[in-house]
Amino acid sequence: MTYRSTARPGDEDSLKSRGCFVRQLALARFALGAAVFSVLTVNAVSDTNSVSQWGQFEQAIINTNTYADPYRGVTLNVTYTRPDTNSVNFWGFYDGGNTWRIRFMPDQVGTWSYSASFSDGAPGANGSFQCVTGNIPGMISADATNALWFGFKGGGHGLFRSLQLGDRFFASNWPTTNRTAFLDWAQGQGYNTLSIASHYLNRNFAGRGQGWNTPNLWDPASPNLKAAEYQAMETILNDLAARQMMVFPFAGFFGQSSDFPTNQTDQALYIRYTLARVAPYWNVLMQVAGPEPLVYPALFQNSMALSDINRLGNLIQSYNVSGHLLSNHNGQNTDAFANQPWETFTTLQGPDNVNRQTLGAALLAHRGVKPLLAAEVLWPGNQYQAAFSDSDIRKNGFVIMMSGATLNFGDMNGGSSSGFSGTMNLADKIQSRHDIIKLVWDFFATQQFYLMSPRQDLVNNGWCLANPGSEYLVYLQQTGSVSVAVSNGPFEVEWINAQNTSDIRFAGATTNGLNLISPPDGDDWLVHLVSTVSDTPLKVSAIPNQLTTVNTSTPRIPFVVNDEAPDLVMTATSSNPALVTTNYIVFEGSGTNRTITLTPLPNQLGNSTITTVVSDNGSPSLSASNTFILSVVSRPIIQSISLASGNKTLTWSAIAGKSYRVQYTLDLNLTNWSDLAGDVTAVGTNAMKVDTTVSGTTKRFYRVQVLP
C-alpha cells in the first residue's frame, strides 16, 4: 500500500489537526534501483490474492450506476504499482450487467498494489496481490539474447513450432470434444503455437468462417462491442494458456471479409477494449489486419489502405502497455511496414517454392533486427503453393530455420482453410508431413540456435548460422563440400544426417574451416563446428552499490553472465551477517540474464560488503566474482508540511550526511514525478525543504527520495 499527503493553500489548520495521526502511520517504502522513497497517505485496502508471474490478476468491480452505453459512458482507470515502485496505468472493461473487471499480467515477483477508479466518481477499488514464481516461461517477445528470434520476457528462449488453422477453431458450434482431441494431438506432436484465422472477428466468406459461430467481437448494427463474445473466446484462450500454447491471430484486429469498425472513434474503442481483455495473456502475438489487406482492399471495406494500417499500428502500440509483439499480414514476398516503428516482428508470405536458393535469399532479404514469422511459406497441399514432396518439406524446413525464420506450417488440400488445417479432424491429417517437420524442429531443439545468426558471408555453399569464434552450423541440401570462414580455431567437426539427425559422424578437427567434405551417402547434411579452445573466462557485469531502508528488500538487481550454461552456480557472502545473511540473498534468472535480491534482517541498520561468485561445473571449474556495498538506512518520514506566505515547508527525519530529493506530482495516477530544484544534504537528524513554486490553489502530493 502507499501513504500520501496533500496540501493546498488554506489547509494549514487541517494539516495541524491531523498531523499527530499522520506521524503515527506506518510508512510504506519503495526502492527503485538504489533510490528509496517515502510517501504519506491516509487509507488503503489490501487483499491476499496470489498470482503467478506472467499470469493474470483479475478483480470484479460492481457498479450499480445506470448507463445508456456502459462501453462508452464511463471508463475504469487502474494504476498498478510494481514491487520496485514503478507504476503502470491500464484500464478495466465492462463485462455485462453491473460488472466491470480489471485484469493485469504482473511481470515482477513480489507485492503489487492497485487503485481502480471510475471516471464518473462511482466507487472503485484498491488493494494488493502477491506475484509468485510459476511455470509460465514469460510473455512472448523478441529473444533477449538475439532479437532475430522469438523468445520470452525475462530472458527465456523458445523454439516456436507453429501450425496454421482455419476458421472453426474458436467456433461454439464445433464440438468441444473435437477441439480437445485436436489439441491433445497437436501437443503430442510438439506444436506449441497456433495461427488461427477467425479469432477476433468472423471471416464471413464461403470456405472461411461462414457457417461457424466464431467470436464476433464487434456488432456493426449497434455499432458496439459484445462482452459475451469476448467471454466465449477467453474460455478457449484460457485453455491454450494453461496448455502453454501460443496464439497468432492470422486475420488480426481487422480481418478480411469481417465486419470490423471503420469509424476511427469506434476503432479506438474496439482496440482499447480488446487490449483490456487480451493484453494480460502472456501467450498472444498481435496483428493489425490480414490476410493481405493491401492486395484485396475491397475485402477490407476499402478501409485498410497503407495509411490506415500505419495509423492503426501506431494506435495499437499507444495502448500496448505490456509490449506485445505486433505485425501485419503482407502480400507475396514483401513487407510494406518493415521500417515502421510500430511493427515489432515481420509476417512474411512467400516465397513458397522448391527453389531453396530463392527461398533462402528471400528470407534473408527480410531479415532485420526483429523476429520473422514465415507465415505462408511451407503449406503442403495448398493450391497456391508448390507441390512439396516429403524431401522438399524437410529441406525447405531446414532452409527456413537456417535463414533465421520461425516457421508456420500447414497441412492442406486446397485453400488455407482446407484439409487438416481447416477441419482439424484427425482423420484428415497427413501424418508424414507433420513427422517430417517435427524432425527438423526436434534437431534445432538440441541446438543453441538463439545464440547464432544467419551468416551467408562465411560460407561458399549451403546456409549458415554462426556464433563466430564459438560455433558454426551449415546446412547442405545435397552431399558436397563447404568452406567456412572461421575464427578462434581449432574446431571439432561433426556431420549430421538431415534425414536422421541421430546419425552423427565425427570428422576430426579443423583450424581453418576449408574444404569440409560431407559423407558420400545420404542426401542433405549439416556440418557442426564447435570451438575446442579452452573455455572463455567467466565474466560477471558490475553491480553498483545498493541502498535500501530498514525492513525493506532491495528490488531485483540485474546482472549479466557471459555464459549460457544452465548449471552455473551462484553464491554470495556478506561481510556483516548481522545485517544480511546468505539465507536472505536470492538469485534468479536464467542464461546470461540474472538477478540478485537482498533482504536485510529485521530492524537492522548499517553496511555490508556483498561478494557474489558465479562458477561452472567444468574441469577445471571456472568462476568470476564481484563485490558491492549494501547500505540499509532509516526511512525518511515526512513529519510535517506547513504553509506560510504561499510557500510550503516540508520536514522529514534524516541521517546526517545523506542526500535527499523532494519530488511532487499533481495527480497520483501519473507515473512521472517532478523534482524540486536543489537536493538537500542532511546535517542532523532532520532535514527541510521549502517549496517556493506553489501558486494559487495548486494541490500537490510529495515524496522524499534518499539518494545513493
Side-chain angles (χ1 to χ4, degrees), residues 8 106 163 173 176 186 199 357 376 378 415 459 572 578 630 669 705:
R8 71 180 80 188
L163 179 63
N173 56 339
T176 300
H199 185 346
Q357 296 294 344
E376 295 189 42
L378 186 54
V459 294
L630 172 68
N669 290 318
Q705 175 185 9

Side-chain angles (χ1 to χ4, degrees), residues 198 202-206 208-211 256-258:
S198 290
N202 183 274
R203 300 196 301 167
N204 189 20
F205 189 80
R208 305 295 193 202
Q210 197 171 86
Q256 185 187 106
S257 303
S258 67

Side-chain angles (χ1 to χ4, degrees), residues 186-207:
Q187 282 191 289
Q189 192 67 28
Y191 289 108
N192 59 18
T193 306
L194 303 177
S195 171
I196 303 171
S198 290
H199 185 346
Y200 294 168
L201 299 169
N202 183 274
R203 300 196 301 167
N204 189 20
F205 189 80

Side-chain angles (χ1 to χ4, degrees), residues 53-244:
Q53 186 181 25
W54 308 109
Q56 286 183 12
F57 165 75
E58 183 169 309
Q59 181 73 44
I61 300 175
I62 302 301
N63 184 343
T64 57
N65 287 357
T66 300
Y67 302 98
D69 182 352
Y71 295 106
R72 293 180 171 88
V74 66
T75 58
L76 177 55
N77 300 308
V78 194
T79 297
Y80 296 92
T81 302
R82 288 187 170 101
D84 66 6
T85 76
N86 286 323
S87 296
V88 181
N89 293 324
F90 201 45
W91 49 91
F93 56 89
Y94 174 65
D95 203 31
N98 293 328
T99 301
W100 273 256
R101 294 184 186 278
I102 61 175
R103 181 182 292 168
F104 190 72
M105 175 177 58
D107 59 354
Q108 292 180 0
V109 172
T111 302
W112 288 71
S113 62
Y114 64 90
S115 178
S117 60
F118 286 98
S119 57
D120 65 349
N126 60 80
S128 64
F129 60 90
Q130 289 294 323
C131 177
V132 299
T133 302
N135 64 351
I136 299 173
M139 189 187 79
I140 301 173
S141 69
D143 189 278
T145 302
N146 187 347
L148 298 180
W149 303 98
F150 288 102
F152 299 99
K153 287 282 188 181
H157 310 296
L159 175 60
F160 286 47
R161 308 182 185 212
S162 181
L163 179 63
Q164 177 66 28
L165 303 182
D167 295 81
R168 74 180 66 175
F169 180 81
F170 278 101
S172 60
N173 56 339
W174 188 45
T176 300
T177 54
N178 292 18
R179 185 182 298 107
T180 299
F182 164 75
L183 288 173
D184 290 345
W185 170 86
Q187 282 191 289
Q189 192 67 28
Y191 289 108
N192 59 18
T193 306
L194 303 177
S195 171
I196 303 171
S198 290
H199 185 346
Y200 294 168
L201 299 169
N202 183 274
R203 300 196 301 167
N204 189 20
F205 189 80
R208 305 295 193 202
Q210 197 171 86
W212 294 105
N213 299 332
T214 66
N216 221 16
L217 308 182
W218 181 260
D219 178 14
S222 307
N224 219 330
L225 298 153
K226 297 187 286 188
E229 293 289 307
Y230 284 86
Q231 293 164 7
M233 177 184 71
E234 289 162 359
T235 297
I236 299 172
L237 275 181
N238 290 337
D239 181 32
L240 294 175
R243 290 173 177 266
Q244 297 206 349

Side-chain angles (χ1 to χ4, degrees), residues 548-552 576-581 599-607 630-635:
T548 189
T549 56
V550 63
N551 299 331
T552 303
N576 184 1
L579 180 70
V580 59
T581 68
T599 302
L601 293 176
N603 305 318
Q604 298 300 307
L605 302 173
N607 299 316
L630 172 68
S631 299
V632 182
V633 300
S634 299
R635 304 178 181 93

Side-chain angles (χ1 to χ4, degrees), residues 241-314:
R243 290 173 177 266
Q244 297 206 349
M245 298 193 78
M246 293 161 283
V247 186
F248 173 60
F250 182 72
F253 287 90
F254 301 92
Q256 185 187 106
S257 303
S258 67
D259 50 12
F260 58 78
T262 57
N263 175 277
Q264 291 190 17
T265 301
D266 289 344
Q267 288 175 339
L269 173 69
Y270 165 55
I271 291 170
R272 181 181 167 92
Y273 183 88
T274 302
L275 287 177
R277 302 192 70 130
V278 175
Y281 285 85
W282 66 270
N283 61 326
V284 297
L285 292 165
M286 293 186 175
Q287 178 146 263
V288 178
E292 302 173 283
L294 298 182
V295 178
Y296 302 106
L299 298 180
F300 289 85
Q301 307 178 57
N302 292 309
S303 299
M304 286 295 129
L306 184 71
S307 59
D308 294 305
I309 295 170
N310 278 323
R311 173 180 58 81
L312 290 168
N314 286 313

Side-chain angles (χ1 to χ4, degrees), residues 268-419:
L269 173 69
Y270 165 55
I271 291 170
R272 181 181 167 92
Y273 183 88
T274 302
L275 287 177
R277 302 192 70 130
V278 175
Y281 285 85
W282 66 270
N283 61 326
V284 297
L285 292 165
M286 293 186 175
Q287 178 146 263
V288 178
E292 302 173 283
L294 298 182
V295 178
Y296 302 106
L299 298 180
F300 289 85
Q301 307 178 57
N302 292 309
S303 299
M304 286 295 129
L306 184 71
S307 59
D308 294 305
I309 295 170
N310 278 323
R311 173 180 58 81
L312 290 168
N314 286 313
L315 181 62
I316 293 167
Q317 288 291 28
S318 72
Y319 293 140
N320 184 16
V321 299
S322 300
H324 284 285
L325 296 180
L326 176 66
S327 187
N328 189 75
H329 193 284
N330 293 293
Q332 181 78 13
N333 199 24
T334 185
D335 180 6
F337 311 100
N339 297 319
Q340 294 297 322
W342 61 261
E343 188 196 75
T344 49
F345 76 99
T346 298
T347 302
L348 189 64
Q349 178 187 183
D352 44 33
N353 55 51
V354 296
N355 184 326
R356 281 169 281 280
Q357 296 294 344
T358 301
L359 170 64
L363 292 172
L364 291 168
H366 291 282
R367 262 273 50 104
V369 290
K370 52 190 171 186
L372 169 62
L373 178 64
E376 295 189 42
V377 178
L378 186 54
W379 286 359
N382 185 281
Q383 62 188 6
Y384 302 109
Q385 296 194 10
F388 297 107
S389 66
D390 286 355
S391 176
D392 291 325
I393 293 172
R394 182 185 71 253
K395 293 183 176 183
N396 281 36
F398 272 112
V399 170
I400 290 167
M401 289 294 300
M402 296 295 298
S403 300
T406 294
L407 171 62
N408 177 42
F409 189 64
D411 179 2
M412 301 169 187
N413 185 25
S416 61
S417 292
S418 70

Side-chain angles (χ1 to χ4, degrees), residues 652 660-662 675-681 688-690 707:
W652 64 91
Y660 299 84
R661 180 172 298 158
V662 177
D675 297 338
L676 284 182
D679 296 332
V680 177
T681 299
M688 180 182 68
K689 179 71 176 178
V690 178
L707 300 179

